[in-house]
């Protein structure tokens, strides 16, 4: 039946009168309450009010308040759904609200202008629902703390505008739709209901339900308003502009408006409807542009990144987890996919804890043939199962070196390793660790196994090791780094020196099994043949002990080491195709071939069915005990095969004890050792500079305070205290930094000799001069621990400022004595300039900050906008950044032998087994060192001048090939590269800050040498590199003495070795050596006089000997020095 306008007004006014009248009452009540509170604060008013209240009334009032508090607490617990009854109540209210909304949908099919009679069965049901809503509204009102705020809440407004019209309909015995569409706003509680029912648990599901509830409630409410005003018309026109429109058509109009399409078939005709559409269109833009695409993205990402990775039989893959960001993924893919497209047969599955950003998603799409992203965490077994980590070739864990908390980053990655190993113990793990002291936890995991390829890449250890090598050998840091930097950007050099440097960047360290035709040959012979005939530079081999089967890496081993079949060789070459020549080489077929490119697989190799090994070869590694015993035994055998001596066993043992007295080493024999030194005894003061005149020392500038994260200075000191250097070759180390910080580092440094601390800062020139920086051999500026910074360019602020401060110092060349100038001439040049630069090596955390210090090079040929590894500062060896260490993750996966060689080169000889021995004590150094000669007799990296060292005896030496063969044949020295001077003095003398030298990695055979070249070399321990008449009036000379260690385990082998005269053949000379022991005093109690008939071409170092001539006869007198000050070194 038609509904009069008076009835419609009654329904609407019931809601508005209830809302505004209730709000007015609450405001009046609050005003009265605040007035009473103010009266109580007036002096005397509170006393009068208390006198008006009797004692009984007060007691009843307190009891009433107590009862109200308990009742209110129960209601709050009920409404918060913390109890089962409360959960049932909340769910019931939501269900009844949806039921009331459905009744509205049913009744909306009738004309809006009609009233329903009570004969309709839905009206009593809706009335019952609203009675329950009134009860729930009353509970919420009682529990509310702020009544006015509660009255203005969304749910309260819905109840006020929907419940009163229902009671009016009961009074009038007719019902009207009115504002019942507001029940759709109850859909906003959908996420809470689903969480109570535990229907949704993930964050994405909760977010999706919230967005869905907002969109649906908005659509239904807006459609209800359009349906009401369009069917009723404008009130002031008495409905003359109304139109009949169904609720479904209203929803259609709202959705067309929300999507900004507007087909025009259904439009609003009333003024109220059009006004509403105008404002709703603005809101729909926000709604559609934000909520709807976000819902689609959540739905798509759930299906896209939460599915399990499908393992394809025969297809290899790896899992990468940890720090999955745009920078880390870009760096990893650049190094992992640097091979040719046809050679990459491994898929990369990234396991990220958060969905990828748009930029990261773009990177995955560009490499979709090789990459897959799965959302999850390595700490959850369900996610590990989804990526099938048990079937993966390896699991690689990426760390974030720029994080603010290094300890937390390492801890989280170690927990990932523990989770993966617990899930699948046989999974191969390669992990990046930021701090070296955290490495000890990984081998303690029961399923951790070096034999299956588990490996650790420690950033602090490698980074500080590189810098330490740069301090020992100028330019060596750049030389080693260039072997691992992958340069894809094309550059066009402007100067000849830049062309030489960029050509050197093409070389890398590669491995290849050597041909069996090399079996039985010595390393110098094989290395010479590879360089001359194959065009390859062989620098190291993997040597297997005949007694224990342990494989160790040997850099430039002596002639006593004979190659066996299937020996693994380490080359410096440009491509893996080149090093295959060493595998295919045949002595009979390739004897008359002199072009390296023509050497390939020959026909006679067909009878030898030998498999070409891949890049990854697993070698089982034994413990440290086997390593030490086998190496000592092999080294003793080398010495017995090398020398022909009638020195008895007792005499050799006595000489070995003398060596122990001279140099104190730690228990591993790898590092120089001293008793724990107190911190107070090594602290220097500015005013006492005259008491500590350092010469040729290393200055390390450290930044940090009492709360800074430790960078691990032990990793910087250990290569500088390697036992491959004699005691007199050690350089003093002076740390400049905060005393509070260095106190915390001292516990790890106190067992290393000749270390000093100068409290201060590298930002103050006075502190630099107090450390006598003008006489140092190298000044290393170490970056501080990471600090939270919004701008990546600010992470190197202190380092850059210190570098500019040190670079501004101008040291006069006239201040040096003639002896010092001769000593320094082998390492640096002063040329014709009146001033020289302080040699400096700066560490940058952010490689893009190179332009801040690039101007210090004094050259104008810098490539603007290029990377750090193309800069002039890097080519000259004055800057270092550990950013390239990310490439070692891919290197360790493809060929972990290369990583082991790098660790051996930069850490002073430590390998994975040696670490287990060093980690038994907090400092890695046990109480008293015993000198293992086998550990000391290893090659050391050095730099030699062509004119001031024994290399001047090599004739001819016009090309690098002649120098390479001559030094290897005569002295056993392996030449690796050149350190050449950039001559800018004639062109721009006014801008010259000193002579710069740049690195040339692995020059070609016919590369022309210049007299000023310095040569990077692998020098045997026993070789004296300087001429006897160029260092000092009392020259030092090395002699061949092989000490005897403990008796080998296999007595049968040792007894068969005949320690009698034998002949050692070398390419240039053949000689027989005899040594006769004579007793003199050593170390105030024992000495030994040794005479030899002639010089030894290959020498083993025992001590430094002073040669004197008496009556025309040459006598050798051994002298030892312990704890000698820097000023007492021979010039």
């Amino acid at each position: 039946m038609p509904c009069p306008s008076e009835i419609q007004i009654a329904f609407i006014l019931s809601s508005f009168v209830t809302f505004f009248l209730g709000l007015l009452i609450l405001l009046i009540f609050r005003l009265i309450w605040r007035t009473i509170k103010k009266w109580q604060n007036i002096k005397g008013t509170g006393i009068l009010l208390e006198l008006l209240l009797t004692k009984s009334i007060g007691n009843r009032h307190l009891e009433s308040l107590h009862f109200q508090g308990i009742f209110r607490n129960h209601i709050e617990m009920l409404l918060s759904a913390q109890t089962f009854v409360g959960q049932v109540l909340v769910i019931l209210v939501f269900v009844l609200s949806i039921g009331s909304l459905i009744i509205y949908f049913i009744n909306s099919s009738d004309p809006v202008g009609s009233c329903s009679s009570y004969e309709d069965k839905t009206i009593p049901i809706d009335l019952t629902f609203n009675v329950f809503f009134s009860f729930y509204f009353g509970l919420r009102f009682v529990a509310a703390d702020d009544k006015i705020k509660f009255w203005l809440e969304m749910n309260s407004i819905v109840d006020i505008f929907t419940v009163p019209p229902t009671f009016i309909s009961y009074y009038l015995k007719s019902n009207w739709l009115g504002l019942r569409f507001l029940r759709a706003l109850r859909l906003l509680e959908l996420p809470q209901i689903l969480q109570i029912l535990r229907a949704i648990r993930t964050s994405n599901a909760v977010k999706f339900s919230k967005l869905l509830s907002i969109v649906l409630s908005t659509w239904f409410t807006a459609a209800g308003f359009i349906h009401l005003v369009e069917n009723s018309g404008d009130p002031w026109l008495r409905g003359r502009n109304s139109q009949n429109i169904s609720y479904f058509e209203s929803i259609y109009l709202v959705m067309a408006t929300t999507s900004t399409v507007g087909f025009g078939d259904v439009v609003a005709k009333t003024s109220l409807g059009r006004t509403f559409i105008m404002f709703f269109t603005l809101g729909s833009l926000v709604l559609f542009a934000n909520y709807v695409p976000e819902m689609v993205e959540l739905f798509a990402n759930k299906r896209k990144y939460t599915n399990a990775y499908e393992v394809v039989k025969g297809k290899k893959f790896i899992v990468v987890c940890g720090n999955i960001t745009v920078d880390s993924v870009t760096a990893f893919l650049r190094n992992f996919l640097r091979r040719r497209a046809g050679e990459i047969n491994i898929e990369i599955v990234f396991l990220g804890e958060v969905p990828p950003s748009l930029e990261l998603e773009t990177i995955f799409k560009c490499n979709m043939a090789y990459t897959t992203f799965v959302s999850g965490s390595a700490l959850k077994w369900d996610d590990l199962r989804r990526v099938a980590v048990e079937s993966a070739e390896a699991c690689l864990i990426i760390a974030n070196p720029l994080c603010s908390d290094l300890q937390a980053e390492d801890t989280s990655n170690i927990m990932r390793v523990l989770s993966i190993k617990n899930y699948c113990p046989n999974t191969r793990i390669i992990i990046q660790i930021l701090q070296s002291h955290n490495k000890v936890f990984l081998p303690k995991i029961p399923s951790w196994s070096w034999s299956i390829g588990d490996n650790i890449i420690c950033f602090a250890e490698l980074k500080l090791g590189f810098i330490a090598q740069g301090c020992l050998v100028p330019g060596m840091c750049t030389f080693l780094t260039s072997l691992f930097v992958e340069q894809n950007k094309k550059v066009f050099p402007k100067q000849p020196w830049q062309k030489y440097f960029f050509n050197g960047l093409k070389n890398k360290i590669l491995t290849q099994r050597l041909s069996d035709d090399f079996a039985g040959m010595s390393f110098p012979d094989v290395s010479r043949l590879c360089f001359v005939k194959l065009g390859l530079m062989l620098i190291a081999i993997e040597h297997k002990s005949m007694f224990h089967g342990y494989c160790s890496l040997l850099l430039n081993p002596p002639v006593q080491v004979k190659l066996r079949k299937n020996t693994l060789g380490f080359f410096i070459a440009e491509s893996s195709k080149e090093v295959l020549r060493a595998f295919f080489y045949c002595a009979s077929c390739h004897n008359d071939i002199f072009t390296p490119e023509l050497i390939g697989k020959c026909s006679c190799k067909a009878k030898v069915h030998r498999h070409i090994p891949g890049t990854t070869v697993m070698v089982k590694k034994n413990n440290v005990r086997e390593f030490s015993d086998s190496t000592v035994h092999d080294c003793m055998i080398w010495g017995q095969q090398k020398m022909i001596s009638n020195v008895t066993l007792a005499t050799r043992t006595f000489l070995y004890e003398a060596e122990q007295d001279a140099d104190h080493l730690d228990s591993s024999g790898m590092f120089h050792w001293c008793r724990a030194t107190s911190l107070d005894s090594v602290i220097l003061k500015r005013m006492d500079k005259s008491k500590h005149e350092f010469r040729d020392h290393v200055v390390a500038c450290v930044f940090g305070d009492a709360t800074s994260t430790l960078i691990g200075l032990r990793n910087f000191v250990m290569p500088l205290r390697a036992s491959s250097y004699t005691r007199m070759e050690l350089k003093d180390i002076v740390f400049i930094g905060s005393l509070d910080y260095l106190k915390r580092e001292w516990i790890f440094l106190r067992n290393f000799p000749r270390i000093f601390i100068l409290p201060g800062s590298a930002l103050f020139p006075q502190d630099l001069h107090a450390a006598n920086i003008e006489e140092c051999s190298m000044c290393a500026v170490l970056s501080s621990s990471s600090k939270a910074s919004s701008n990546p360019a600010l992470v190197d602020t202190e380092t850059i400022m210190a570098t500019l401060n040190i670079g501004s110092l101008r040291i006069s060349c006239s201040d040096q004595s003639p002896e010092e100038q001769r000593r320094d001439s082998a390492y640096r040049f002063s040329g014709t300039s009146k001033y020289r630069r302080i040699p400096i090596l700066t560490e940058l955390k952010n490689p893009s900050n190179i332009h801040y210090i690039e101007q210090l090079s004094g050259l104008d040929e810098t490539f603007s906008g290029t990377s750090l590894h193309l800069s002039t500062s890097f080519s000259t060896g004055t800057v270092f950044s550990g950013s390239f260490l990310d490439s070692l993750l891919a290197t360790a996966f493809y060929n972990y032998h290369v990583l082991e060689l790098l660790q051996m080169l930069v850490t002073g000889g430590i390998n994975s087994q040696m670490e287990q021995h060093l980690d038994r004590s907090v400092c890695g150094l046990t109480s008293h060192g015993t000198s293992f000669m086998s550990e000391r007799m290893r090659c050391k990296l050095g730099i030699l001048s062509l004119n001031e060292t024994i290399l001047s005896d090599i004739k001819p030496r016009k090309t690098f090939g002649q120098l390479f063969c001559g030094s290897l044949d005569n002295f056993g020295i392996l030449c690796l590269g050149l350190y050449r001077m950039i001559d800018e003095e004639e062109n721009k003398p006014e801008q010259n800050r000193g002579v710069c030298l740049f690195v040339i990695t692995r020059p070609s055979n016919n590369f022309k040498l210049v007299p000023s070249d310095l040569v990077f070399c692998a020098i045997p321990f026993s070789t004296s590199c300087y001429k006897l008449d160029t260092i000092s009036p009392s020259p030092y000379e090395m002699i061949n003495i092989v000490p005897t260690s403990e008796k080998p385990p296999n007595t049968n082998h040792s007894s068969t070795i005949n320690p009698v005269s034998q002949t050692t053949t070398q390419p240039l000379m053949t000689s027989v050596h005899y040594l006769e022991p004579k007793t003199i005093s050593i170390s105030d109690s024992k000495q030994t006089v040794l005479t030899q008939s002639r010089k030894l071409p290959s020498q083993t170092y025992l001590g430094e000997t002073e040669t004197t001539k008496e009556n025309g006869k040459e006598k050798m007198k051994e002298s030892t020095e312990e704890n000698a000050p820097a000023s007492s070194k021979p010039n």
Side-chain angles (χ1 to χ4, degrees), residues 515-518 529 533-534 581-593 599-605 607:
S515 171
D516 289 344
D517 288 0
F518 293 130
L529 189 150
K533 195 173 187 65
L534 307 182
R581 303 169 192 163
F583 176 80
F584 291 129
Y585 174 76
C586 177
S588 57
C589 299
H590 301 145
N591 188 34
D592 55 347
I593 297 178
I599 297 178
K601 189 175 182 179
C602 59
S603 58
C604 65
K605 286 290 182 180
K607 61 183 179 181

Side-chain angles (χ1 to χ4, degrees), residues 607-627:
K607 61 183 179 181
V608 181
H609 301 284
R610 205 156 58 101
H611 173 66
I612 300 178
T615 55
T616 305
V617 182
M618 299 301 170
V619 179
K620 186 174 182 180
K621 306 177 181 181
N622 298 322
N623 55 27
V624 184
R625 179 180 178 83
E626 295 177 347
F627 165 75

Side-chain angles (χ1 to χ4, degrees), residues 110-312:
D110 299 332
V112 175
S114 62
C115 292
S116 302
S117 64
Y118 259 62
E119 296 178 357
D120 191 352
K121 300 298 182 182
T122 59
I123 295 178
I125 297 176
D126 187 57
L127 178 61
T128 305
F129 289 171
N130 282 276
V131 171
F132 183 79
F133 295 151
S134 301
F135 169 74
Y136 187 69
F137 180 85
L139 293 178
R140 292 172 53 239
F141 181 80
V142 173
D145 294 329
D146 191 340
K147 307 300 182 183
I148 296 179
K149 184 178 180 181
F150 162 78
W151 198 262
L152 298 176
E153 287 180 355
M154 179 67 69
N155 290 333
S156 300
I157 294 176
V158 171
D159 290 336
I160 292 172
F161 282 88
T162 56
V163 173
T166 305
F167 295 102
I168 296 297
S169 67
Y170 178 76
Y171 175 77
L172 297 176
K173 301 300 180 182
S174 61
N175 194 13
W176 182 57
L177 287 178
L179 302 177
R180 288 160 57 190
F181 61 85
L182 293 176
R183 278 292 165 193
L185 294 175
R186 280 285 186 180
L187 288 172
L188 294 174
E189 297 182 358
L190 178 63
Q192 180 184 1
I193 302 302
L194 294 178
Q195 287 179 328
I196 293 175
L197 296 175
R198 299 184 183 275
I200 54 176
R201 298 182 180 181
T202 63
S203 59
N204 286 341
V206 173
K207 189 175 182 180
F208 179 80
S209 63
K210 287 183 178 180
L211 295 176
L212 181 63
S213 63
I214 291 174
V215 173
L216 292 179
S217 61
T218 303
W219 281 349
F220 290 155
T221 305
F225 183 82
I226 293 293
H227 179 260
L228 175 64
V229 298
E230 289 298 316
N231 284 277
S232 302
D234 293 326
W236 54 88
L237 297 178
R238 297 184 181 276
R240 289 193 299 269
N241 59 345
S242 64
Q243 63 172 333
N244 290 327
I245 181 174
S246 65
Y247 187 79
F248 177 77
E249 290 176 336
S250 300
I251 294 179
Y252 172 77
L253 174 60
V254 169
M255 295 187 66
T257 304
T258 304
S259 60
T260 67
V261 176
F263 294 106
D265 51 347
V266 179
V267 295
K269 294 182 178 180
T270 63
S271 299
L272 286 177
R274 290 178 177 179
T275 303
F276 175 79
I277 290 297
M278 290 172 56
F279 289 99
F280 182 75
T281 302
L282 297 177
S284 64
L285 291 176
V286 179
L287 181 71
F288 189 81
N290 291 336
Y291 292 163
V292 176
E294 194 170 355
M295 290 171 56
V296 175
E297 184 180 0
L298 287 174
F299 183 73
N301 286 344
K302 182 177 181 181
R303 297 183 56 187
K304 187 175 181 180
Y305 298 124
T306 59
N307 293 334
Y309 174 75
E310 296 182 4
V311 180
V312 180

Side-chain angles (χ1 to χ4, degrees), residues 829-850:
F829 295 94
S830 57
T832 59
S833 175
K834 297 180 181 180
Y835 299 95
R836 61 181 179 87
R837 298 188 310 165
I838 295 176
I840 186 172
L841 179 56
T842 304
E843 178 194 357
L844 293 179
K845 283 185 174 294
N846 186 0
S848 61
N849 289 333
I850 180 63

Side-chain angles (χ1 to χ4, degrees), residues 715-728:
N715 301 295
F716 175 76
V717 173
M718 291 177 71
L720 298 174
R721 293 296 177 260
S723 61
S724 56
Y725 298 93
T726 63
R727 194 80 170 192
M728 295 190 64

Side-chain angles (χ1 to χ4, degrees), residues 564-583:
R564 301 187 178 97
K565 292 184 178 181
N566 203 33
T567 297
L568 182 67
F570 293 80
F571 298 86
I572 298 180
E574 292 187 7
S575 65
S576 57
K577 184 179 179 180
E578 293 181 358
V579 297
L580 279 176
R581 303 169 192 163
F583 176 80

